Amino acid sequence: MADLKTRLDEPAGGRAVDEVPGPGSGAGSAIRDPDDPVTEPEPDDPVTEPAPDDPATGTDTSEPGPTATTTTAVAGPALGAEPDPPAEAAVPTSATAHTPPGRWTVLVACMAGLLILLTAVDGLLYVEGGDPAAGLREPALDAARQVALDLSTLGTDNVDAKLPQLTESTTGPFREEVTGYADYLREIRKQGQLSSAGTVTAAGIERIDAERALALVAVSTTGTDVAEPDGQERRYRLAVELHREGGRWLATAVAFVA
Amino acid sequence: MTAPTDTQATLLPLRQMIPRALGVLLVVAAVVAVGLGLRWYSNAGQEERTAEALDAARTRTAHVLTYDGASLDTGLARARQQVTGEFAARLDGIANDLLGPTGQADAVSTTATVARAAVVASRPDRVQVLLYVDQVTSSATQPVPRSTTGQVLVTMTLVEDQWLISEYQPL
């Protein structure tokens, strides 16, 4: 009986590869085996009855015969190492019944593990992969709005106050352009005042990726100078190019769309 | 016969619990995986939908703003196909304003093209778009075409798999 148990145990354990010749029959026995303990309770009790068991399973899996001898040889010492034969006898009894579930357990565990992995990948995809620019859209739009607003409200009166903010929100050659315009405003300040009140009427993202964005910003400005002391409302269609540097969106160009 | 059944009664459930628990775990994991996958899919789909809405905003706005005073009815019929909701209700009023007291006599014709388009806000069934529109207008009284530029804020709404203009606001 013990031999039989170990024989059945082994394939579920590490011997699955060795048993390749009879996996089909092994699977067949896996389904049939649960009946065995029910139909064979008596043979279980007398430990000295291996013979009746052998033909019973022999009908089930006749091929394992030759391999069984090798597995028995391996299983022999393993059983010998167990200290309490009577107590152990009970456990292997159920083990015999659940050797197939053991196989299933491994299968189910593998699938569960695979699914958990899949779930994790799904989660990552959802968080990061859905729209690569999803979390960048709003900051880019805010930056574009701010630069457009700052530029459209830039005048001789507030150039000194506004310039630091503008140079900080721009980069590259465009920053120099802005600085140049600021110098120009400071220069003409000597001759007269030029001020501008601007509002952003609408802004949207034309295209965006992790590093670059192109935003459209519609602004309305009322500029006053010597020629136009009362001011005249003008509507501008701006396109703001942005580049992401150090986690911040900075303007690299602002153009009028004619 | 009774003794083994006893041991089975106590041991079987315990032994079976592991595969069963794993089975339950498997089902839960499968449900979560499918759920997350679907959410990711819909999220990824949102990008595509927004692009579709942007495309529809371009072509439909151009359609609505392009008309020939000589065949305003045809133009209006076509415009009606591009719109829904609030803007659909306003469209007839706009058409009447265009016709004005002169009706089709003035024969104003306008060709509109969308120069640039950008997404202002995006939701699964509603996408707001900023459009820079160029229009070339000519009329009987002013045969030389006149170019104008403008910007409009348009809300696209998904109606039966079609993105239609539901709001239209010239800026």
Side-chain angles (χ1 to χ4, degrees), chain A residues 37-38 41-42 45 90-91 94-95 97-98 101 104-105 107-109 111-112 115-116 118-119 122-123 125-126 129-132 137-138 141 201-206 214-219 235-239 257-258, chain B residues 1 3-4 7-8 11-12 15-16 18-19 22-23 25-27 29-30 32-45 47 50 54 58 115-121 130-134 149-151 153 171:
Chain A
V38 186
E42 282 120 8
D45 290 336
V91 182
S94 54
H98 293 280
W104 281 110
T105 307
L107 189 77
V108 169
M111 285 184 76
L115 265 167
I116 288 163
L118 195 77
T119 310
D122 264 1
L125 272 174
Y126 177 67
D131 182 358
R137 209 167 266 272
E138 282 305 311
L141 202 53
T201 48
I205 295 289
E206 196 170 44
L214 191 54
L216 300 185
V217 185
V219 296
R235 289 170 188 275
Y236 293 109
R237 313 195 297 186
L238 301 181
V257 178
Chain B
M1 188 68 196
T7 53
Q8 276 171 15
L11 286 165
L12 273 179
R15 283 255 162 189
Q16 282 178 355
I18 296 159
L22 280 170
L25 199 71
L26 190 136
V27 169
V32 172
V34 168
L36 275 172
L38 277 175
R39 281 188 71 183
W40 171 76
Y41 179 77
S42 71
N43 197 35
E47 208 176 349
T50 305
L54 195 65
R58 280 176 160 273
R116 306 283 285 266
V119 177
V120 175
L130 170 63
L131 301 170
Y132 289 173
V133 182
D134 297 338
T149 62
Q151 50 269 20
L153 198 58
L171 302 170

Side-chain angles (χ1 to χ4, degrees), chain A:
Chain A
M1 183 59 203
D3 292 349
L4 172 66
K5 285 165 209 152
T6 51
R7 221 174 293 147
L8 287 168
D9 276 341
E10 279 308 313
R15 287 279 158 164
V17 187
D18 296 349
E19 297 271 326
V20 173
S25 57
S29 66
I31 298 156
R32 263 166 264 165
D33 276 336
D35 300 330
D36 289 350
V38 186
T39 51
E40 295 176 310
E42 282 120 8
D44 267 15
D45 290 336
V47 194
T48 54
E49 271 197 20
D53 274 31
D54 274 342
T57 44
T59 50
D60 271 23
T61 54
S62 47
E63 288 103 316
T67 33
T69 46
T70 53
T71 44
T72 320
V74 180
L79 259 192
E82 283 162 355
D84 281 351
E88 286 303 310
V91 182
T93 313
S94 54
T96 317
H98 293 280
T99 302
R103 194 177 284 175
W104 281 110
T105 307
V106 171
L107 189 77
V108 169
C110 281
M111 285 184 76
L114 207 75
L115 265 167
I116 288 163
L117 197 77
L118 195 77
T119 310
V121 171
D122 264 1
L124 272 172
L125 272 174
Y126 177 67
V127 170
E128 291 180 7
D131 182 358
L136 304 174
R137 209 167 266 272
E138 282 305 311
L141 202 53
D142 285 348
R145 279 172 165 275
Q146 194 57 52
V147 168
L149 186 68
D150 286 344
L151 281 175
S152 61
T153 52
L154 203 61
T156 52
D157 49 342
N158 60 4
V159 60
D160 295 318
K162 285 266 180 192
L163 192 62
Q165 195 183 329
L166 262 171
T167 48
E168 209 176 284
S169 59
T170 53
T171 188
F174 183 62
R175 179 186 282 180
E176 286 158 39
E177 245 178 85
V178 169
T179 316
Y181 181 61
D183 290 341
Y184 163 76
L185 284 174
R186 287 191 182 112
E187 191 60 37
I188 64 163
R189 187 159 54 185
K190 293 161 190 165
Q191 284 109 53
Q193 293 291 309
L194 187 151
S195 70
S196 178
T199 50
V200 171
T201 48
I205 295 289
E206 196 170 44
R207 58 171 181 269
I208 187 166
D209 61 31
E211 282 184 354
R212 297 185 169 277
L214 191 54
L216 300 185
V217 185
V219 296
S220 165
T221 66
T222 308
T224 51
D225 60 13
V226 186
E228 281 179 335
D230 294 332
Q232 193 187 334
E233 197 197 355
R234 288 200 173 85
R235 289 170 188 275
Y236 293 109
R237 313 195 297 186
L238 301 181
V240 181
E241 265 180 50
L242 301 147
H243 190 245
R244 196 157 157 261
E245 286 172 17
R248 284 187 67 214
W249 287 103
L250 304 174
T252 52
V254 175
F256 292 104
V257 178

Side-chain angles (χ1 to χ4, degrees), chain B residues 83-143:
Chain B
V83 303
T84 185
E86 188 230 355
F87 187 50
R90 275 175 54 203
L91 195 65
D92 288 333
I94 292 168
N96 285 333
D97 287 350
L98 278 173
L99 281 168
T102 54
Q104 298 183 6
D106 198 24
V108 177
S109 73
T110 297
T111 305
T113 49
V114 173
R116 306 283 285 266
V119 177
V120 175
S122 170
R123 281 194 282 156
D125 60 343
R126 256 169 86 91
V127 176
Q128 205 174 30
V129 178
L130 170 63
L131 301 170
Y132 289 173
V133 182
D134 297 338
Q135 272 180 296
V136 179
T137 310
S138 62
S139 68
T141 54
Q142 196 180 14

